[in-house]
Amino acid sequence: MTVRLHIKRFLSVSLALLICVFVSGIQSVHAQEKPPLRIATLPLPPWGYKTNDNIPKGICFEWGNAIAKRMGRQSVNRIVPMARLFKSLEYGKADFSIVLRTPYSEKITVPIVNVGIDFRTVVWPRKGIKITNYKDLQHLSLSVARGLKVGGKFAEQENLNIVPSMDYAHSMLLFKAGRVDAVVGTEQSLAYNAVRTGLSTSSDFDIPFELDRLQGWVQASNQFIQREGLDDLKKAAQSLIDDGTFRRIYQKYQSSLVTLRR
């Protein structure tokens, strides 16, 4: 009886182990079946850009990669023009991005986590041009990067002389060539591109006129949320904020963040 009892116990334990191995194998297969996360990053230095050696870098670029790593997922992080980025999120060709939360973005994405950094959107005029109210904009030529959605009172202005540009760098080239009176966008990206273009933030520009203050958010496509839910993405992003990883990445680029005169 004792021998039989030992045999039965041995068989029970063996069966339990086989079941655990089988279940673990199924879970492993399911984990491997998940495709790489598709991350879209704006080409706005220092948030996202490519070096002279064509190596992608930037604060938002590294934030996106950190989220994927924390989720235990492979990822493909592409730096794409602003208009394409929002279309990619809208039609589910990108899973998530880190961009300003605006009424427009809320229509096409699902806001996940606030990254805890505010961004000023401004009109930055040429030296000698003073902007004190929205009426002053009526007499100026303004360069706005394609895909940049500026809401609030700015969007309500009629008959503004808008000169579209391909991106912030192109806006600065138009400004340097004297083709526009002012550039529009988020202050850090404008200042960064001004310096890269050879402009002086003090002698070439006057005081910026604030249009809005927006917050950077991790924002996912509706298709991704429908497919995978938001819990894993939200948990990963929030943990990177809580443990200081996002802040450390931000501070690594601090020397390139030029602050405009207020």
Side-chain angles (χ1 to χ4, degrees):
M1 293 294 292
T2 304
V3 174
R4 289 182 179 179
L5 182 60
H6 282 303
I7 291 174
K8 286 182 178 180
R9 288 178 176 175
F10 174 77
L11 291 175
S12 297
V13 172
S14 299
L15 181 59
L17 288 172
L18 285 172
I19 291 173
C20 289
V21 170
F22 179 71
V23 171
S24 177
I26 291 177
Q27 291 175 340
S28 177
V29 168
H30 282 312
Q32 292 174 1
E33 286 178 352
K34 286 189 174 181
L37 292 168
R38 299 167 301 170
I39 308 168
T41 300
L42 288 175
L44 302 176
W47 312 104
Y49 62 98
K50 291 185 179 180
T51 66
N52 293 334
D53 298 325
N54 206 36
I55 298 173
K57 293 186 68 177
I59 298 170
C60 289
F61 181 81
E62 291 198 31
W63 280 348
N65 288 344
I67 290 172
K69 184 177 180 180
R70 185 63 57 92
M71 292 175 69
R73 298 278 292 275
Q74 297 293 317
S75 63
V76 178
N77 194 339
R78 292 190 172 92
I79 297 177
V80 297
M82 194 176 300
R84 189 191 306 173
L85 179 142
F86 284 113
K87 289 298 181 183
S88 296
L89 289 171
E90 182 177 4
Y91 295 111
K93 294 182 179 180
D95 296 322
F96 75 88
S97 182
I98 302 169
V99 291
L100 297 179
R101 182 172 178 175
T102 65
Y104 172 74
S105 74
E106 289 177 347
K107 291 180 181 179
I108 63 172
T109 69
V110 179
I112 304 297
V113 173
N114 183 345
V115 300
I117 296 175
D118 291 343
F119 299 80
R120 279 206 326 159
T121 304
V122 300
V123 178
W124 203 15
R126 189 176 303 282
K127 190 72 171 180
I129 297 177
K130 308 295 183 182
I131 304 176
T132 59
N133 55 60
Y134 282 90
K135 290 183 179 180
D136 292 337
L137 301 180
Q138 297 290 335
H139 311 291
L140 304 176
S141 55
L142 310 170
S143 179
V144 180
R146 287 191 176 93
L148 178 64
K149 305 295 181 181
V150 184
K153 291 183 179 180
F154 184 83
E156 299 170 359
Q157 303 303 303
E158 297 181 356
N159 303 318
L160 289 179
N161 183 11
I162 302 294
V163 180
S165 67
M166 293 182 293
D167 51 31
Y168 279 46
H170 187 208
S171 288
M172 286 302 166
L173 289 175
L174 293 173
F175 183 91
K176 189 175 183 179
R179 295 178 57 186
V180 296
D181 299 312
V183 288
V184 180
T186 54
E187 62 174 333
Q188 300 292 9
S189 293
L190 288 175
Y192 187 91
N193 280 282
V195 173
R196 291 184 70 188
T197 310
L199 294 165
S200 169
T201 58
S202 58
S203 60
D204 289 319
F205 294 88
D206 219 288
I207 298 174
F209 175 69
E210 181 176 316
L211 299 174
D212 203 356
R213 283 182 186 262
L214 300 171
Q215 296 174 328
W217 279 67
V218 178
Q219 301 181 63
S221 70
N222 286 281
Q223 293 84 344
F224 174 79
I225 298 303
Q226 291 170 5
R227 185 174 67 250
E228 299 197 20
L230 58 79
D231 289 345
D232 289 345
L233 179 59
K234 184 174 183 178
K235 182 179 178 180
Q238 189 62 56
S239 69
L240 291 164
I241 295 170
D242 293 341
D243 68 14
T245 300
F246 268 24
R247 177 60 59 178
R248 286 191 292 273
I249 292 173
Y250 178 81
Q251 290 174 341
K252 186 169 70 171
Y253 290 85
Q254 194 67 37
S255 61
S256 66
L257 297 176
V258 182
T259 302
L260 278 63
R261 294 178 298 117
R262 305 300 172 93

